[in-house]
Amino acid sequence: MFGRRKKNDSAKGGGAAEQVDDRVSGLDADEQDGAENTGAAAPRRVNLPPAPRPDGPWDISEVPGNPADGRVDLGGILVPGVEGMELRVEVAGDAIVAATVVLGDSAVQLQAFAAPRKEGIWGEVREEIASGITQQGGIIDEVEGPLGWELRAQVPVALPDGQTGAQLVRFVGVDGPRWFLRGVISGQGAVRPESAGVLEQIFRDTVVLRGDGPMAPRDPIVLKLPNDAQMVPDGVQTEDQEGSRFGGGMGQLERGPEITEVR
């Protein structure tokens, strides 16, 4: 079932105002570039322009100096480096579409998407995530957290003994100029949100590079491995990481269903 939506007395930023419009609206320039005209459209939520982001995440145009300084350059996103973190780059087919920062017993998955020029999409995305989880028997609570409106979810998972358990997950998101950045916080950062300050700061300090080419709204912004990334089979550890800026005794790279880098 849906949890009750909670709201603080004052806005914490990061969430655009939202409204629902029963009229069919035309596609904007980005949607025309990447989507086919399918005739009449169903009524849909209409989002207002993205809210200001005084604390990030950042567009590449908003970062002075070299945005890669202190960050791992994955092409579409630049992820801030934190001592002791492990960075896993996740693959869908031949494309790298997400990065997960593991820090201690918590993690945050980062994924960037193209968005319309004039609207934010986090309101729609929240509704869709909530609907999907509740249809699976999960529980959703929509709250205003440190990063703006977020979903705190109990997601059904299969346990090794065949029983069904629940995993606590936080879905956060911020709309930027023609992009949307989603974060999925798991582990202790979801169980105890007050302990997730470092992961939340990583999300805020992430830089998005959408590019100028046409993309359909919601298309994932494809990532790339850094030039000095190392890949080894899953479970195999590398001892010599000299020459890689992700070395320094902070772990190893591995490859299985995902590619992993360690800072």
Side-chain angles (χ1 to χ4, degrees), residues 14 52-58 62 147 174 179 203-206:
R53 294 166 288 104
D55 300 317
W58 309 107
E62 299 168 337
L147 299 170
V174 169
W179 53 258
F203 183 84
R204 288 190 186 97
D205 288 342
T206 295

Side-chain angles (χ1 to χ4, degrees), residues 9-125:
D9 292 336
S10 60
K12 297 183 181 179
E18 299 157 13
Q19 61 187 25
V20 176
D21 191 343
D22 291 333
R23 297 168 297 176
V24 175
S25 61
L27 300 178
D28 71 5
D30 286 331
E31 292 170 314
Q32 292 171 3
D33 285 334
E36 295 180 356
N37 183 3
T38 57
R44 65 183 182 92
R45 176 188 290 269
V46 176
N47 292 324
L48 298 180
R53 294 166 288 104
D55 300 317
W58 309 107
D59 186 75
I60 190 73
S61 65
E62 299 168 337
V63 181
N66 182 2
D69 287 346
R71 295 182 176 92
V72 183
D73 186 352
L74 298 176
I77 61 174
L78 286 75
V79 180
V82 176
E83 182 70 24
M85 84 179 197
E86 180 181 352
L87 180 60
R88 300 177 179 176
V89 185
E90 302 174 21
V91 178
D94 295 329
I96 300 172
V97 296
T100 299
V101 174
V102 181
L103 190 63
D105 52 8
S106 299
V108 58
Q109 182 197 64
L110 303 169
Q111 191 168 15
F113 302 86
R117 187 183 304 275
K118 299 178 181 179
E119 295 182 349
I121 63 174
W122 179 218
E124 287 182 353
V125 171

Side-chain angles (χ1 to χ4, degrees), residues 138-169:
I139 299 174
I140 288 290
D141 197 12
E142 185 177 27
V143 305
E144 192 176 17
L147 299 170
W149 287 110
E150 65 177 76
L151 295 176
R152 297 183 181 178
Q154 297 182 39
V155 181
V157 293
L159 301 177
D161 61 2
Q163 301 295 314
T164 299
Q167 179 182 9
L168 298 180
V169 182

